Amino acid sequence: MKLYHSPMAPNPDRVIYFLRAKGKLEAVELEEVSIMKQEHKQPGYREVSPYAQVPALILDDGTNITESRAICTYFEGIFPEPNLMGRDPKEKALIEMWDRRVELMFFIQFAGWFRNAHPAMAPLEVPQSPEAAAKSEKAARKMVERLNEHLANSEFVAADRFTIADITLYITCGFCRVMKWAPHKELSNLGRWHDEMTARGFAG
Ligand SMILES: N[C@@H](CCC(=O)N[C@@H](CS)C(=O)NCC(=O)O)C(=O)O
């Protein structure tokens, strides 16, 4: 299996941290694609990922899987332990609920802020929009406050153990550095949770 990724890019990191949490990073051949050099937009890579995005997983039979959560679902199936996506219908639903909340209401909103505001994103986000940046920043800040409140009474993001939802929140907190923002240093419950996640070592 080959995993196309870009160093420091959050969606590929989500998959790499997931694999590392499974103790299975060595199961894939890693190939780097530079987003900043726009290698992901070259015709050769578009054959791997038609939407020109990383990560992309190519299975040994040639199948392409190009959504980070779908790639994690595949790895959860072939490497079931430790379980990171739920063991029974209720747990699966609750973990997916939190993972999607983090992805849609924090990660995607933060990405909208970054892509519409940061000068380095100008070639990728055409045209950049200050209004969209402001709206997304507001939504990201609101969600991170909600997550901080949630973590006042929960050790982990979902269920009562470490799951993919913790990985998704952790990569998003790390991604915030690109706007010189560290929400886990501003909000105490998020900070407690973040220290515990760092101590687990899945981020390498
Ligand atoms: N929904 C996709 C999103 C993938 C994505 O947006 N990846 C970013 C890197 S973190 C990318 O390839 N960006 C290239 C671009 O926007 O041109 C997933 O979860 O895999």
Side-chain angles (χ1 to χ4, degrees), residues 155-156 161-163 166 194-203:
E155 189 179 351
F156 301 96
R161 60 190 173 80
F162 176 73
T163 69
D166 294 292
H194 193 272
D195 288 347
E196 286 170 16
M197 293 302 116
T198 302
R200 287 179 164 261
F202 61 85

Side-chain angles (χ1 to χ4, degrees), residues 12 31 41 52 74 77 83 122 125 134 137 159 164 167 194 196 201:
E31 182 153 335
K41 296 202 168 165
Y74 179 73
N83 178 285
E125 192 66 38
E137 176 182 356
I164 186 172
I167 295 175
H194 193 272
E196 286 170 16

Side-chain angles (χ1 to χ4, degrees), residues 116 122 125-129:
N116 281 289
E125 192 66 38
V126 185
Q128 286 182 310
S129 158

Side-chain angles (χ1 to χ4, degrees), residues 6 8-15 35 38 40-41 45 49 51-56 66-71 103 107-108 115 121 123-125 175:
S6 303
M8 316 285 284
N11 284 298
D13 274 356
R14 186 186 195 188
V15 172
I35 294 178
Q38 305 226 13
H40 63 302
K41 296 202 168 165
Y45 185 68
S49 174
Y51 296 174
Q53 291 180 327
V54 279
T66 58
E67 283 290 327
S68 54
R69 201 178 197 283
I71 295 172
E103 178 170 357
F107 181 102
I108 301 285
R115 293 181 66 102
M121 285 295 106
L124 294 178
E125 192 66 38
F175 185 28

